[in-house]
Amino acid sequence: MAGALSAFAARRAASKPTQSPGNEQVNAADADEEIRFSPQSKKRRKTQENDGNLDEYLPITLSNDQQMEHGEVSNDGESLPSDSDLELEDSSVSVSRNRSELSSEIWQLSTFVPTKKNILSDTEDQWTVRLHPKDRLALLGYYDIWVRSGAISIFGAIIHASSKLYRVYAPSTHAIPPIRSVPNPYGTGDPPTEVSFFSCGSRLRLLKQISPKFGRIWNGRKGHRGSNRSFVNVSQEQYKTIIANEFKLQTSAEDSNGRSLCLLNLPSNWQTTIARIQSVSSTQHLAVMVCGLKGAGKSTFCRILANALLSKTSMSSSNSTQIIQSVAFMDLDPGQPEYSPSGELSLLSLKDFHLGPPFTHPVPGSGNTVIRSHHFGHLSPKENSEYYHHCVLDLYQKYRKKMASSPLIVNYSSWIQSSGLELLTGLIKDVDLSDMIYMSSTGPEEVVDALQQAVIRRDVPLHQLTSQASQVPTRTAADLRMMSTLSYFHVGSIEAGNIRWNTSPLSDQIPLIARYGGLDSDILAVMVLGDAQNMQFLESMLEGCVVGVVVLEDDAGIPRNNAQVDHWTLRTNIQGRSPHREEAHPSIRHTKSGIPYIRAEQHTIKPLDPARSYSLGQAIIRAIDTQVKAFQLLTPIPREIILQTKQQGRKIVLVRGRLDTPTWAYAERLMLDRHVKFRIENETGEREDNATDEVKEWALRQPWASVVKRGRSGSAKVRRVRRDLRYRSQPETA
């Protein structure tokens, strides 16, 4: 297991936990003291001395501008540190901005002003308000929402009065969704809407104990009104803002942590287009493809459109005997998918709203299901455009076979220039669309011209909408991708329709044992995508990496050399009998340690046929036990799914692509240990200045970390982890 740790820095905020036993509600306070890996006094903050020797020791690259918060209480009453730890640096964007920058970047968040007339209830864990048609309310954090009367709009969803609770996630990493009262559609006046917000316990917040990227993204500083809840109304922060001595400004400047907050505002042409699509009769074909350059707002638009269409079906189902129609969602952006970790292409059936960013739903919750998924193994279609095209066509065929009556939303990749544009125009010919949406009103000209020509041939309207990049990017695309992947691997279970995360470090979790040898093996073979590798290094390429868990439906799905015999079957293996040597698949070879792998053809390993295979999800190979011939897998895939696949007579192939190395997983135990230590030091008031020795000792105890001395103590350059192991092609042995 490989990795390279170096340069640690951190920022800390002190607080004390306040929570009743048995409740998962989290409270944290933030401060702006910067330290270097271990706690320092205020007199030594923002110094450079402590950063000196850390470069010599550790294997993973960590940030020089990180944040720390303390004072967390777990659901069992154990006190733990809070909002932030050491932070993996993969970004040139500052995590927070200083007050002078904020003074010139102010966004209006709320127009709702709390008064005695519109506040119906105000307790520690519940807040009931009366919203008028012109009110706009912005809440930061996570909460359960209950509409008592009338209707509200949030994230494009129209929620009517009912007994159902909806979970909303509104972190500071994304624009805050406004909550508005919806006018009465029957024209009999617009009475105020009554809505209750309940503080809830979500273990998602506890992920900050093992990853600092999840720190400082929820509700505000302890001590302000409402901060004991899991959400906070920014306009309630009762202190002088930096621009005026007005408490009712209700702007981004009122955040007690000094974060740059902004509101999710929809451009007028977004609203017009969504309303037009909503007005399409349910008997008409509706298939919308959304494309655009990176950061144009494709995922946000698709999420809002899906919620809007689900709102339409729920409103039209006044008759209890009417079946609520689902929305088909084809997630084709492998770099930043909406409902899965990066590297996956999937088709989903959506029947419930999703009110939060992707890392809050890395797997579909209750009511939403994955129809079919493929492990693409790359972050962009340009790595293998032919295979990407085949995967998309297979997903579309499954849509036509199983969900043809449902409206379809296609969230396309951001690679739409050069040969990527040819791929997109080719898919427009293959997919029966009703609308094509391009998230830019300014070009590039060659992209717009090519799209117009493609849609004219198919008689499909092209809508050019205003792009909407994030106004306050507190996390880069790589940060958000890491957060989604970490959130996925820490999914524990789904309770009452909500995800419950397992917040213990992956190194502490019991792995799933998957045998690759013997009569009753679980794994048929391993596949390494891309150029041919020297397979004597296969164990090093696999350990500590993310792999796709792919089910092989048919033996013909394995790529084979054209010189091999065409007729071959896995029937003997499937039935559990001992296979003879001559019955082995012609494309499968074994390493000296017995690990089966799919050999390369003409110096390239072709992917599995998407028409004969599908993905169950992803796993991290914790270790390979060559004695018992088994992989130790860390995965949220339920063991029952693996057993069911075996009972169906199907085999599993582990596919290693070129996804990000999960360096965050290597240091989770270190993060948690330091979190607990910081809390103890805060309580006792004692400080230890031994960060370098402590980190070195930790690295020596870990099998995946090593002590490196290269005389780089004076360098502030961030070291990057190599994301692919390339070896000169070697002749393979049978």
PDB file of all heavy atoms in Angstrom, residues 617-638:
ATOM      1  N   GLY A 617     -20.944  -1.152  -7.474  1.00  0.00           N
ATOM      2  CA  GLY A 617     -20.411  -0.046  -6.681  1.00  0.00           C
ATOM      3  C   GLY A 617     -18.901  -0.097  -6.680  1.00  0.00           C
ATOM      4  O   GLY A 617     -18.274  -0.630  -7.607  1.00  0.00           O
ATOM      5  N   GLN A 618     -18.319   0.444  -5.644  1.00  0.00           N
ATOM      6  CA  GLN A 618     -16.863   0.511  -5.557  1.00  0.00           C
ATOM      7  C   GLN A 618     -16.375  -0.038  -4.225  1.00  0.00           C
ATOM      8  O   GLN A 618     -17.140  -0.155  -3.258  1.00  0.00           O
ATOM      9  CB  GLN A 618     -16.380   1.954  -5.744  1.00  0.00           C
ATOM     10  CG  GLN A 618     -16.680   2.534  -7.106  1.00  0.00           C
ATOM     11  CD  GLN A 618     -16.151   3.938  -7.294  1.00  0.00           C
ATOM     12  OE1 GLN A 618     -15.480   4.496  -6.410  1.00  0.00           O
ATOM     13  NE2 GLN A 618     -16.444   4.523  -8.449  1.00  0.00           N
ATOM     14  N   ALA A 619     -15.075  -0.385  -4.190  1.00  0.00           N
ATOM     15  CA  ALA A 619     -14.449  -0.909  -2.978  1.00  0.00           C
ATOM     16  C   ALA A 619     -13.009  -0.437  -2.934  1.00  0.00           C
ATOM     17  O   ALA A 619     -12.410  -0.113  -3.972  1.00  0.00           O
ATOM     18  CB  ALA A 619     -14.520  -2.436  -2.939  1.00  0.00           C
ATOM     19  N   ILE A 620     -12.470  -0.373  -1.730  1.00  0.00           N
ATOM     20  CA  ILE A 620     -11.043  -0.128  -1.532  1.00  0.00           C
ATOM     21  C   ILE A 620     -10.412  -1.449  -1.108  1.00  0.00           C
ATOM     22  O   ILE A 620     -10.888  -2.103  -0.175  1.00  0.00           O
ATOM     23  CB  ILE A 620     -10.791   0.949  -0.463  1.00  0.00           C
ATOM     24  CG1 ILE A 620     -11.319   2.303  -0.938  1.00  0.00           C
ATOM     25  CG2 ILE A 620      -9.306   1.056  -0.136  1.00  0.00           C
ATOM     26  CD1 ILE A 620     -11.164   3.415   0.088  1.00  0.00           C
ATOM     27  N   ILE A 621      -9.358  -1.843  -1.800  1.00  0.00           N
ATOM     28  CA  ILE A 621      -8.661  -3.074  -1.435  1.00  0.00           C
ATOM     29  C   ILE A 621      -7.762  -2.768  -0.249  1.00  0.00           C
ATOM     30  O   ILE A 621      -6.720  -2.126  -0.383  1.00  0.00           O
ATOM     31  CB  ILE A 621      -7.851  -3.635  -2.610  1.00  0.00           C
ATOM     32  CG1 ILE A 621      -8.796  -3.970  -3.766  1.00  0.00           C
ATOM     33  CG2 ILE A 621      -7.072  -4.870  -2.184  1.00  0.00           C
ATOM     34  CD1 ILE A 621      -8.111  -4.575  -4.977  1.00  0.00           C
ATOM     35  N   ARG A 622      -8.189  -3.212   0.919  1.00  0.00           N
ATOM     36  CA  ARG A 622      -7.437  -2.954   2.155  1.00  0.00           C
ATOM     37  C   ARG A 622      -6.143  -3.750   2.183  1.00  0.00           C
ATOM     38  O   ARG A 622      -5.102  -3.262   2.608  1.00  0.00           O
ATOM     39  CB  ARG A 622      -8.303  -3.315   3.364  1.00  0.00           C
ATOM     40  CG  ARG A 622      -7.714  -2.942   4.711  1.00  0.00           C
ATOM     41  CD  ARG A 622      -8.661  -3.371   5.815  1.00  0.00           C
ATOM     42  NE  ARG A 622      -8.260  -2.869   7.112  1.00  0.00           N
ATOM     43  CZ  ARG A 622      -7.400  -3.489   7.908  1.00  0.00           C
ATOM     44  NH1 ARG A 622      -6.868  -4.630   7.522  1.00  0.00           N
ATOM     45  NH2 ARG A 622      -7.088  -2.959   9.078  1.00  0.00           N
ATOM     46  N   ALA A 623      -6.217  -5.003   1.742  1.00  0.00           N
ATOM     47  CA  ALA A 623      -5.043  -5.869   1.714  1.00  0.00           C
ATOM     48  C   ALA A 623      -5.347  -7.076   0.846  1.00  0.00           C
ATOM     49  O   ALA A 623      -6.514  -7.373   0.543  1.00  0.00           O
ATOM     50  CB  ALA A 623      -4.639  -6.311   3.121  1.00  0.00           C
ATOM     51  N   ILE A 624      -4.303  -7.779   0.436  1.00  0.00           N
ATOM     52  CA  ILE A 624      -4.427  -9.022  -0.320  1.00  0.00           C
ATOM     53  C   ILE A 624      -3.747 -10.126   0.476  1.00  0.00           C
ATOM     54  O   ILE A 624      -2.542 -10.050   0.738  1.00  0.00           O
ATOM     55  CB  ILE A 624      -3.806  -8.899  -1.721  1.00  0.00           C
ATOM     56  CG1 ILE A 624      -4.454  -7.750  -2.494  1.00  0.00           C
ATOM     57  CG2 ILE A 624      -3.948 -10.213  -2.482  1.00  0.00           C
ATOM     58  CD1 ILE A 624      -3.826  -7.503  -3.853  1.00  0.00           C
ATOM     59  N   ASP A 625      -4.510 -11.119   0.877  1.00  0.00           N
ATOM     60  CA  ASP A 625      -3.978 -12.257   1.641  1.00  0.00           C
ATOM     61  C   ASP A 625      -3.670 -13.379   0.657  1.00  0.00           C
ATOM     62  O   ASP A 625      -4.561 -14.111   0.224  1.00  0.00           O
ATOM     63  CB  ASP A 625      -5.003 -12.715   2.679  1.00  0.00           C
ATOM     64  CG  ASP A 625      -4.406 -13.700   3.685  1.00  0.00           C
ATOM     65  OD1 ASP A 625      -3.412 -14.366   3.341  1.00  0.00           O
ATOM     66  OD2 ASP A 625      -4.954 -13.798   4.800  1.00  0.00           O
ATOM     67  N   THR A 626      -2.411 -13.498   0.278  1.00  0.00           N
ATOM     68  CA  THR A 626      -2.031 -14.516  -0.702  1.00  0.00           C
ATOM     69  C   THR A 626      -2.010 -15.917  -0.111  1.00  0.00           C
ATOM     70  O   THR A 626      -1.982 -16.900  -0.864  1.00  0.00           O
ATOM     71  CB  THR A 626      -0.653 -14.186  -1.288  1.00  0.00           C
ATOM     72  OG1 THR A 626       0.313 -14.086  -0.220  1.00  0.00           O
ATOM     73  CG2 THR A 626      -0.688 -12.855  -2.043  1.00  0.00           C
ATOM     74  N   GLN A 627      -2.006 -16.036   1.220  1.00  0.00           N
ATOM     75  CA  GLN A 627      -2.002 -17.358   1.852  1.00  0.00           C
ATOM     76  C   GLN A 627      -3.361 -18.038   1.686  1.00  0.00           C
ATOM     77  O   GLN A 627      -3.447 -19.214   1.325  1.00  0.00           O
ATOM     78  CB  GLN A 627      -1.650 -17.232   3.335  1.00  0.00           C
ATOM     79  CG  GLN A 627      -0.264 -16.658   3.592  1.00  0.00           C
ATOM     80  CD  GLN A 627       0.840 -17.547   3.031  1.00  0.00           C
ATOM     81  OE1 GLN A 627       0.761 -18.769   3.112  1.00  0.00           O
ATOM     82  NE2 GLN A 627       1.873 -16.915   2.470  1.00  0.00           N
ATOM     83  N   VAL A 628      -4.437 -17.279   1.960  1.00  0.00           N
ATOM     84  CA  VAL A 628      -5.776 -17.849   1.827  1.00  0.00           C
ATOM     85  C   VAL A 628      -6.411 -17.463   0.498  1.00  0.00           C
ATOM     86  O   VAL A 628      -7.557 -17.817   0.231  1.00  0.00           O
ATOM     87  CB  VAL A 628      -6.679 -17.390   2.990  1.00  0.00           C
ATOM     88  CG1 VAL A 628      -6.120 -17.845   4.314  1.00  0.00           C
ATOM     89  CG2 VAL A 628      -6.852 -15.875   2.974  1.00  0.00           C
ATOM     90  N   LYS A 629      -5.667 -16.704  -0.330  1.00  0.00           N
ATOM     91  CA  LYS A 629      -6.121 -16.262  -1.646  1.00  0.00           C
ATOM     92  C   LYS A 629      -7.439 -15.487  -1.528  1.00  0.00           C
ATOM     93  O   LYS A 629      -8.494 -15.914  -2.018  1.00  0.00           O
ATOM     94  CB  LYS A 629      -6.278 -17.456  -2.588  1.00  0.00           C
ATOM     95  CG  LYS A 629      -4.982 -18.195  -2.877  1.00  0.00           C
ATOM     96  CD  LYS A 629      -5.175 -19.279  -3.905  1.00  0.00           C
ATOM     97  CE  LYS A 629      -3.872 -20.026  -4.160  1.00  0.00           C
ATOM     98  NZ  LYS A 629      -2.800 -19.134  -4.636  1.00  0.00           N
ATOM     99  N   ALA A 630      -7.338 -14.345  -0.888  1.00  0.00           N
ATOM    100  CA  ALA A 630      -8.534 -13.537  -0.669  1.00  0.00           C
ATOM    101  C   ALA A 630      -8.180 -12.061  -0.659  1.00  0.00           C
ATOM    102  O   ALA A 630      -7.077 -11.665  -0.260  1.00  0.00           O
ATOM    103  CB  ALA A 630      -9.218 -13.926   0.640  1.00  0.00           C
ATOM    104  N   PHE A 631      -9.145 -11.240  -1.126  1.00  0.00           N
ATOM    105  CA  PHE A 631      -9.044  -9.793  -1.033  1.00  0.00           C
ATOM    106  C   PHE A 631      -9.794  -9.332   0.204  1.00  0.00           C
ATOM    107  O   PHE A 631     -10.866  -9.854   0.522  1.00  0.00           O
ATOM    108  CB  PHE A 631      -9.672  -9.121  -2.261  1.00  0.00           C
ATOM    109  CG  PHE A 631      -8.957  -9.371  -3.550  1.00  0.00           C
ATOM    110  CD1 PHE A 631      -9.466 -10.259  -4.479  1.00  0.00           C
ATOM    111  CD2 PHE A 631      -7.776  -8.703  -3.846  1.00  0.00           C
ATOM    112  CE1 PHE A 631      -8.828 -10.487  -5.682  1.00  0.00           C
ATOM    113  CE2 PHE A 631      -7.115  -8.935  -5.041  1.00  0.00           C
ATOM    114  CZ  PHE A 631      -7.646  -9.825  -5.962  1.00  0.00           C
ATOM    115  N   GLN A 632      -9.239  -8.340   0.901  1.00  0.00           N
ATOM    116  CA  GLN A 632      -9.943  -7.680   1.992  1.00  0.00           C
ATOM    117  C   GLN A 632     -10.489  -6.360   1.441  1.00  0.00           C
ATOM    118  O   GLN A 632      -9.734  -5.446   1.137  1.00  0.00           O
ATOM    119  CB  GLN A 632      -9.012  -7.432   3.174  1.00  0.00           C
ATOM    120  CG  GLN A 632      -8.475  -8.696   3.819  1.00  0.00           C
ATOM    121  CD  GLN A 632      -7.587  -8.410   5.015  1.00  0.00           C
ATOM    122  OE1 GLN A 632      -7.530  -7.275   5.503  1.00  0.00           O
ATOM    123  NE2 GLN A 632      -6.893  -9.423   5.488  1.00  0.00           N
ATOM    124  N   LEU A 633     -11.804  -6.294   1.311  1.00  0.00           N
ATOM    125  CA  LEU A 633     -12.453  -5.157   0.665  1.00  0.00           C
ATOM    126  C   LEU A 633     -13.184  -4.299   1.677  1.00  0.00           C
ATOM    127  O   LEU A 633     -13.888  -4.805   2.551  1.00  0.00           O
ATOM    128  CB  LEU A 633     -13.447  -5.645  -0.396  1.00  0.00           C
ATOM    129  CG  LEU A 633     -12.902  -6.555  -1.498  1.00  0.00           C
ATOM    130  CD1 LEU A 633     -14.019  -6.951  -2.443  1.00  0.00           C
ATOM    131  CD2 LEU A 633     -11.765  -5.884  -2.259  1.00  0.00           C
ATOM    132  N   LEU A 634     -13.035  -2.996   1.539  1.00  0.00           N
ATOM    133  CA  LEU A 634     -13.816  -2.017   2.298  1.00  0.00           C
ATOM    134  C   LEU A 634     -14.827  -1.419   1.335  1.00  0.00           C
ATOM    135  O   LEU A 634     -14.460  -0.731   0.377  1.00  0.00           O
ATOM    136  CB  LEU A 634     -12.908  -0.933   2.873  1.00  0.00           C
ATOM    137  CG  LEU A 634     -11.852  -1.405   3.878  1.00  0.00           C
ATOM    138  CD1 LEU A 634     -10.861  -0.284   4.195  1.00  0.00           C
ATOM    139  CD2 LEU A 634     -12.501  -1.893   5.155  1.00  0.00           C
ATOM    140  N   THR A 635     -16.100  -1.695   1.566  1.00  0.00           N
ATOM    141  CA  THR A 635     -17.126  -1.266   0.636  1.00  0.00           C
ATOM    142  C   THR A 635     -18.459  -1.122   1.346  1.00  0.00           C
ATOM    143  O   THR A 635     -18.757  -1.868   2.283  1.00  0.00           O
ATOM    144  CB  THR A 635     -17.266  -2.281  -0.523  1.00  0.00           C
ATOM    145  OG1 THR A 635     -18.334  -1.890  -1.375  1.00  0.00           O
ATOM    146  CG2 THR A 635     -17.534  -3.676   0.007  1.00  0.00           C
ATOM    147  N   PRO A 636     -19.285  -0.150   0.911  1.00  0.00           N
ATOM    148  CA  PRO A 636     -20.640  -0.034   1.469  1.00  0.00           C
ATOM    149  C   PRO A 636     -21.629  -0.995   0.815  1.00  0.00           C
ATOM    150  O   PRO A 636     -22.801  -1.016   1.195  1.00  0.00           O
ATOM    151  CB  PRO A 636     -21.009   1.422   1.172  1.00  0.00           C
ATOM    152  CG  PRO A 636     -20.249   1.742  -0.073  1.00  0.00           C
ATOM    153  CD  PRO A 636     -18.961   0.968   0.015  1.00  0.00           C
ATOM    154  N   ILE A 637     -21.182  -1.774  -0.170  1.00  0.00           N
ATOM    155  CA  ILE A 637     -22.075  -2.736  -0.817  1.00  0.00           C
ATOM    156  C   ILE A 637     -22.486  -3.783   0.214  1.00  0.00           C
ATOM    157  O   ILE A 637     -21.632  -4.430   0.813  1.00  0.00           O
ATOM    158  CB  ILE A 637     -21.385  -3.417  -2.011  1.00  0.00           C
ATOM    159  CG1 ILE A 637     -20.923  -2.378  -3.024  1.00  0.00           C
ATOM    160  CG2 ILE A 637     -22.327  -4.431  -2.673  1.00  0.00           C
ATOM    161  CD1 ILE A 637     -20.092  -2.953  -4.158  1.00  0.00           C
ATOM    162  N   PRO A 638     -23.779  -3.981   0.453  1.00  0.00           N
ATOM    163  CA  PRO A 638     -24.201  -4.975   1.443  1.00  0.00           C
ATOM    164  C   PRO A 638     -23.716  -6.374   1.074  1.00  0.00           C
ATOM    165  O   PRO A 638     -23.705  -6.755  -0.104  1.00  0.00           O
ATOM    166  CB  PRO A 638     -25.736  -4.886   1.399  1.00  0.00           C
ATOM    167  CG  PRO A 638     -26.028  -3.543   0.828  1.00  0.00           C
ATOM    168  CD  PRO A 638     -24.922  -3.261  -0.144  1.00  0.00           C
TER     169      PRO A 638
END
